[in-house]
Amino acid sequence: MNILVTGGAGFIGSNFVHYVYGQRPDWNITVIDALTYDNNKKNLDGLDKVEFIEGNICDEKLVDKLVQKNDIVVHFAAESHNDNSLSNPRPFLDTNIVGTYTILETVRKHNKRLHHISTDEVYGDLDLDDPKKFTPETPYNPSSPYSSTKAGSDLLVRAWVRSFGVKATISNCSNNYGPYQHVEKFIPRQITEILEGRKPKLYGTGEQVRDWIHAEDHSSGVLAILENGLVGETYLIGADGEKNNKEVVELILKNMGKDQNDYEHVNDRPGHDMRYAIDASKLMNELGWKPKYTNFEEGLKQTIEWYTNNETWWKPQKAETEAKYKKANQ
Ligand code: NAD
Ligand code: TDX
């Protein structure tokens, strides 16, 4: 099997590449990644059999050449951070919409299988007391430039399946955590703030709920869909990990030996989604998938340990990231 992974140097893409490298040693893996975060290339260190191509998914010629040589495309590449999409939306339109269009046209031309990686944020948000969770039938209602461009990319995939018979599946996953996540994101930001001797920063009241899943469980879900999913179907990936942001900050402080109240409130995110929650029963019942990391605090402890031991990985990104947040009083 020859597999092309877009965005395979990113947080989740590189986790997936490591996972498949271990689980399917006879597969040939090629990664295309624009390295929008300088040091992401290090995320693939040690995987000598993986072919790495630095390039942009909007580059039709390059994408054509790579898709032609592979059997499957797994499409992770995206602009991925909500706060960045609020300060500068344009790259989100380019990569998430035009980039996905470029991939779709190429898999259509060469009749290749595609799996498109998406997010639960396309469904908008739930009230804190809503008994329902997101299902594949939940109507799209995205809130931010990030989530609206991800929603747009999903709709393109659905249209290419229906109009052109493209052999694609889609997965919408909840919030991932684990090693190699950029320090602009919530959990790594708080861990590294504490490691640098500052306080964690909670947006607004901190009552917003995210449904946490370990990145490796996301990877195993994607592999299950690649191997056994039905073309044209959408699968939701989640591990029943709902926690509000305040609870997560308190858990991080506790596990780093600090006072649980030693955090500060900063400016809220404009349009901040209140709650996400995934019903993953279709993936579990139809494809037999199960998450491995069912104890969030245990997974969080391992993640804290990883950031503590891998300062050389995150340090180069930290000052620039905090300077951006400072400008927004966040
Ligand atoms: P990330 O930002 O760490 O990784 C994205 C990767 O894509 C980066 O390595 C980047 O260099 C690459 N990239 C960006 N633009 C590109 C372009 N034009 N051409 C080629 N490569 C490009 O993000 P992530 O958190 O690993 O997210 C990966 C995917 O998973 C995204 O599609 C995201 O929407 C989705 N997702 C993320 C989460 C989460 O919690 N982080 C949850 C659900 C879904
Ligand atoms: O410093 C912070 N303080 C804070 O309270 C940061 C960076 C975030 N937050 C809050 C905002 C959110 O409610 O924490 C929550 C999580 O924030 P992010 O890590 O930015 O994630 P989110 O906006 O929920 O989006 C993530 O999950 C879905 C990923 O970044 C997306 O790529 C994915 O699609």
Side-chain angles (χ1 to χ4, degrees):
M1 188 67 74
N2 297 308
I3 168 173
L4 176 65
V5 182
T6 77
F11 161 49
I12 308 170
S14 65
N15 184 292
F16 177 76
V17 171
H18 279 271
Y19 185 76
V20 169
Y21 196 87
Q23 298 287 321
R24 299 290 179 271
D26 52 332
W27 287 19
N28 299 312
I29 308 172
T30 303
V31 167
I32 174 175
D33 196 297
L35 297 182
T36 56
Y37 300 107
D38 296 343
N39 69 340
N40 271 6
K41 177 73 186 8
K42 295 195 194 106
N43 299 1
L44 298 173
D45 277 359
L47 305 185
D48 4 306
K49 286 190 304 173
V50 171
E51 186 181 3
F52 178 78
I53 310 286
E54 183 173 349
N56 196 308
I57 54 162
C58 300
D59 178 343
E60 285 172 31
K61 263 197 183 153
L62 176 62
V63 169
D64 188 271
K65 192 174 102 193
L66 295 175
V67 168
Q68 199 172 1
K69 286 200 294 194
N70 283 279
D71 306 305
I72 302 180
V73 180
V74 187
H75 178 34
F76 287 92
E79 284 293 336
S80 64
H81 192 40
N82 273 301
D83 293 320
N84 294 342
S85 81
L86 294 164
S87 56
N88 183 20
R90 178 64 202 239
F92 290 72
L93 288 143
D94 292 336
T95 291
N96 300 358
I97 300 284
V98 179
T100 301
Y101 159 79
T102 309
I103 300 286
L104 278 166
E105 279 296 78
T106 322
V107 293
R108 169 159 92 104
K109 180 173 162 197
H110 296 293
N111 192 25
K112 304 288 181 173
R113 168 89 165 85
L114 170 69
H115 181 69
H116 175 65
I117 303 292
S118 192
T119 169
D120 57 0
E121 297 193 17
V122 299
Y123 300 116
D125 59 354
L126 298 162
D127 289 336
L128 291 179
D129 59 358
D130 193 329
K132 289 191 303 294
K133 295 183 173 198
F134 298 136
T135 70
E137 287 74 41
T138 304
Y140 276 40
N141 186 25
S143 316
S144 73
Y146 164 68
S147 52
S148 61
T149 55
K150 288 299 291 186
S153 69
D154 293 12
L155 297 180
L156 291 177
V157 175
R158 289 183 181 196
W160 261 242
V161 168
R162 176 152 173 181
S163 300
F164 303 123
V166 161
K167 295 176 291 184
T169 40
I170 300 177
S171 55
N172 298 80
C173 187
S174 59
N175 280 63
N176 285 220
Y177 72 98
Y180 297 101
Q181 186 169 30
H182 194 280
V183 292
E184 68 193 1
K185 305 291 195 313
F186 179 55
I187 288 179
R189 184 180 186 207
Q190 313 314 334
I191 297 171
T192 54
E193 281 298 88
I194 297 170
L195 289 173
E196 292 207 326
R198 292 186 297 270
K199 294 183 184 199
K201 316 275 187 298
L202 205 49
Y203 290 176
T205 58
E207 68 193 314
Q208 290 77 13
V209 170
R210 296 294 181 265
D211 187 356
W212 294 100
I213 180 171
H214 194 282
E216 191 181 314
D217 284 330
H218 189 175
S219 295
S220 67
V222 171
L223 185 59
I225 298 166
L226 272 187
E227 295 190 320
N228 299 309
L230 293 180
V231 162
E233 291 293 312
T234 292
Y235 297 89
L236 269 49
I237 310 179
D240 287 328
E242 282 189 73
K243 292 246 171 305
N244 74 37
N245 294 338
K246 185 167 164 289
E247 287 173 294
V248 174
V249 160
E250 286 168 354
L251 270 179
I252 293 172
L253 282 160
K254 181 183 118 189
N255 281 288
M256 293 181 76
K258 304 284 178 196
D259 177 345
Q260 290 192 45
N261 297 311
D262 203 14
Y263 57 84
E264 51 187 293
H265 292 278
V266 293
N267 274 359
D268 206 351
R269 172 183 285 170
H272 199 174
D273 279 340
M274 186 53 80
R275 172 174 164 241
Y276 308 136
I278 286 272
D279 174 352
S281 51
K282 177 172 169 180
L283 182 60
M284 291 177 159
N285 298 339
E286 293 182 14
L287 305 188
W289 172 82
K290 268 203 226 113
K292 181 172 124 189
Y293 290 82
T294 47
N295 181 335
F296 176 71
E297 188 165 357
E298 202 40 54
L300 187 64
K301 270 190 207 167
Q302 289 176 21
T303 306
I304 292 170
E305 208 175 292
W306 189 85
Y307 282 90
T308 307
N309 295 333
N310 287 279
E311 193 183 287
T312 49
W313 183 86
W314 57 263
K315 199 77 170 181
Q317 318 158 343
K318 184 66 182 167
E320 193 190 332
T321 304
E322 286 309 314
K324 273 199 221 162
Y325 278 129
K326 204 168 174 198
K327 270 196 203 153
N329 286 319
Q330 288 181 322

